[in-house]
Amino acid sequence: MDEHSIHDSLLLRPEDVSDYAKKSPAWASLVKSILRSLMWGIFVAWVTIIFIYPCDFYTKLNTKFLLSIERTLFGITGAVFLLYSGPIIVIAILAILYLIIRGDEELQEKKTSKSPRYRLWTFPIIVDGPISVITASELIGISLFSAYVVWASSVYLLKNFHIVLSYQLAFKEASIKMLELMGLRFGAIGMFCMSFLFIPISRGSVLLRLIDIPFEHATRYHVWLGHLTMLIFTLHGLLYIVGWALDGRLLEEILQWKNIGIANLAGVISLLAGLLMWVTSLHPVRRQYFELFFYTHQLYVIFVVFFALHVGDFVFSISAGGIFLFMLDRFLRFCQSRKTVNILSASSLPCGTIELVLSKPSHLKYNALSFIFLQIRELSWLQWHPFSVSSSPLEGKHHMTILLKVLGEWTDKLKGNVSNILDYKHDVKQSQPRLSLTASVEGPYGHESQYHLSYENLILIAGGIGISPFLAILSDILHRIRDGIPCMSRNILVIWAVKSSDEFPILQTLNIQSICPNHSDMLNLDIQTYVTQQSEPNLENGKMNNCVYSPIFFTPSKQGISSLVGTGHMVWSGAYVVVSIVGFIATVALLDEYYINPFSIQCWWYKGLLFVACMVASVIVFGGGVVGLWHVWDVKNSKREAKKYDGQKHANSMITDSRVLEEETVGDSMGSLNNIHYGRRPDFKGIFKSVSDSWGCVDIGVIVCGPPSLSSSVAKECRSHSFSRKQNHPILHFHSHSFDL
């Protein structure tokens, strides 16, 4: 292959420069550097405060600070919020400014190293552990949290020994006192863990966008933090229960609800709700009884509210920052999901996979590794299921495609509904039967940057329906090559493991030949399919089964996916966050000025309830006002698009034509690219060795989408390759795109 032809084909056309090669001016780069430094400085200071919190010298400084501003408008609650929740709120505001200034810079515009190098976030360290694959950067994070818990527990234990010994109590009384003090200390540790607990679960969080961690990865961190937090809170409760039982006042203490001080009964209710969530979230229960896990997890509302009643407003404000950002995300998701979305077409593949084409506005942006949460109201009003997007954002401005494999009760019901509509179409001989599926969508979510475009060499490893996001990647790269948009990819190896050849039609949903007929001159693409439970081909003699599309309904594209999403328009979503924060501060100030201070409200649990009410009210009233204006802007934008987008029938026919494949063309195109191996599994050690010998000393992005066992196997070989790597061999960068709730 001629290197010059590759280079020339990836050059921008003059008309594309304004859209795809916007370079930041000098002032923007300077401002971004300042913002990055500020955010890092605030974060390091915040973490430092958390680490030194148990120390005596900090306790004295903290007490002096709180007493000095006790009589101000916000009082101790405001001071505690400023110290422990304020940093994460300020970082969120700075992140909004940073993302707005950064704009839509393409990842491939960033300078890349001439020689390959290791990266902490793509280097797998633990591959066979109980919590799946852990990279070096994740291990550092786990180590920091573990170090904090051990450090804080040790410091508190020593302090408690000194306190108990100073009382000169009998052994039983000393033991009870020690248990209660350690219970109190574990409660403090748990509150700081809870400060981080809700941040990863905010799907469109500006913080996740800032550090470019997609929600499917952040969910793992929420799970880990959830286990740690509930373990600590369980110890907190058990130590108190044992101490009270030894002292003979267990029932009295459990039922106690003080006005001044800790409300024990509220804490018991909060802990019970947390334990129910924790038990049903354990992997065996979650896997076998997902609906039980899903519905029980809605008890987080009870958990948070009664936690605030338990500790009061000023203690609750330690963890309030992360909870408030989660509330902002949850309300925005609620607003987006109220809108119904048109299903432009539904197709049933011979292998049982369903393809849905959803309507979307052209200004709703996503990338090739995005996913959405889908609800079909005819199936359930409560269940939401995540699906990877299988179409490139360059494939069409007004539609988005997803593939659904029938793997459970919900998808089986969907297949039944689609089949019923198809039967109706054939019976009445109508080309456009009435739509009987109503969809709602949350998202799209995913990586902020399109990291797959930063690699010249890619290995895409999929298991079964895990090929879906890779179809989007291939489509995206082919469209970029065809349209002259910057794209570094030159060598792509696709490894696809399936149980039987019945799965082949999934691959045929991507019409490579029609997207970029001359792709072989610009891209070295190789597809290796492994059929693990079939020793020989079917009667077709190894030839891929032709894909037969059966579009069963089409509807006007007036109702697209709502753009009210945290990963959408940065200015609007930023305004929503900032106005809500300002509204929260104003609401608390008004409450203090005209109610709490004048009437000398001292009841801890009541003030905790008012604090939570202020958080909710600021999100709904102030944030809701911005969302309303955002919705009006979205509607006007959609109407403007509709005028430019002449004729809905013509639009639908274009979509239909693009999705209904010509069997012979597709079969020939995919057949020439696909090498099929029957009766065996991929030998990743041999595959990586072959690639190392042929591709040389380069960076290779290895992206895996499939079951946890597949991710672990690939990560193990990536790690082994890294440890035994020769100087002239490539560095493999491991990425997992699996979503495992």
Side-chain angles (χ1 to χ4, degrees), residues 366-371 388-395 400-403 450 452-453 460 466-480 509-510 515 737:
Y366 68 99
N367 63 47
L369 283 170
S370 295
F371 67 94
S388 295
V389 176
S390 60
S391 61
S392 163
L394 301 175
E395 192 171 315
M400 175 190 293
T401 305
I402 60 172
L403 292 171
Q450 305 186 66
H452 62 282
L453 298 177
L460 309 178
I467 194 69
S468 178
F470 297 156
L471 298 178
I473 287 179
L474 293 176
S475 176
D476 192 53
I477 291 172
L478 291 168
H479 276 91
R480 287 172 179 273
T509 58
L510 177 66
I515 297 173
H737 189 66

Side-chain angles (χ1 to χ4, degrees), residues 107-126:
L107 182 63
Q108 63 268 28
E109 292 176 12
K110 298 179 181 179
K111 295 181 180 180
T112 56
S113 176
K114 293 181 180 180
S115 59
R117 60 180 181 178
Y118 292 104
R119 301 167 189 164
L120 292 176
W121 55 92
T122 61
F123 188 90
I125 296 293
I126 301 175

Side-chain angles (χ1 to χ4, degrees), residues 46 80-90 316-322:
W46 182 43
V80 172
F81 185 87
L82 178 64
L83 278 176
Y84 305 108
S85 290
I88 201 67
I89 298 294
V90 174
F316 177 74
S317 61
I318 292 175
S319 308

Side-chain angles (χ1 to χ4, degrees), residues 68-101:
S68 66
I69 60 173
E70 183 179 10
R71 298 187 181 278
T72 59
L73 175 62
F74 293 101
I76 293 179
T77 302
V80 172
F81 185 87
L82 178 64
L83 278 176
Y84 305 108
S85 290
I88 201 67
I89 298 294
V90 174
I91 291 173
I93 295 173
L94 295 176
I96 291 167
L97 296 175
Y98 179 85
L99 292 173
I100 290 174
I101 294 172

Side-chain angles (χ1 to χ4, degrees), residues 357-412:
V357 181
L358 307 174
S359 175
K360 80 170 191 70
S362 64
H363 58 270
L364 180 65
K365 297 181 180 180
Y366 68 99
N367 63 47
L369 283 170
S370 295
F371 67 94
I372 62 172
F373 281 81
L374 183 69
Q375 176 204 60
I376 304 292
R377 296 184 180 180
E378 283 75 12
L379 306 182
S380 172
W381 279 79
L382 296 176
Q383 292 188 43
W384 291 82
H385 295 266
F387 297 99
S388 295
V389 176
S390 60
S391 61
S392 163
L394 301 175
E395 192 171 315
K397 291 184 177 181
H398 297 271
H399 70 277
M400 175 190 293
T401 305
I402 60 172
L403 292 171
L404 300 83
K405 181 69 176 177
V406 178
L407 295 173
E409 183 180 349
W410 188 86
T411 47
D412 187 57

